[in-house]
Amino acid sequence: TMEWIDGVTLADKLQAGPMPMRKALDLMHQVLSGLAHAHRQNLVHREVTPDNIIILPDGQVKLGGFGLVKQRGDMT
């Protein structure tokens, strides 16, 4: 079971053309914060792509695609 997320992927958003720099920086800050949290839990995402970055209507970012996640140190 997965959480239903009502949003658009970064891949879809980029199809519409470039976004303002401030918006892009905000989105990437949120993505990097999420990855830092995962790394503090000793998890490595391994599939960060524009299709796995979901932008909610309020601008909040959700990072999906954790199906290939591995524990740090267990990268086989």
Side-chain angles (χ1 to χ4, degrees):
T1 305
M2 294 185 343
E3 174 185 10
W4 169 255
I5 299 174
D6 183 21
V8 60
T9 67
L10 179 59
D12 290 338
K13 194 78 139 167
L14 292 174
Q15 288 292 323
M19 66 178 64
M21 180 68 75
R22 185 162 299 286
K23 180 65 176 172
L25 290 172
D26 175 55
L27 295 176
M28 288 306 100
H29 180 266
Q30 291 184 63
V31 169
L32 293 173
S33 292
L35 290 172
H37 179 76
H39 289 178
R40 286 190 298 273
Q41 310 307 310
N42 290 321
L43 301 174
V44 180
H45 188 284
R46 300 186 342 141
E47 194 180 11
V48 179
T49 67
D51 286 317
N52 287 330
I53 298 169
I54 301 117
I55 306 164
L56 304 181
D58 66 359
Q60 182 181 0
V61 169
K62 296 276 188 171
L63 186 57
F66 275 85
L68 296 178
V69 72
K70 291 277 188 177
Q71 286 237 251
R72 198 174 348 190
D74 181 28
M75 298 302 287
T76 56

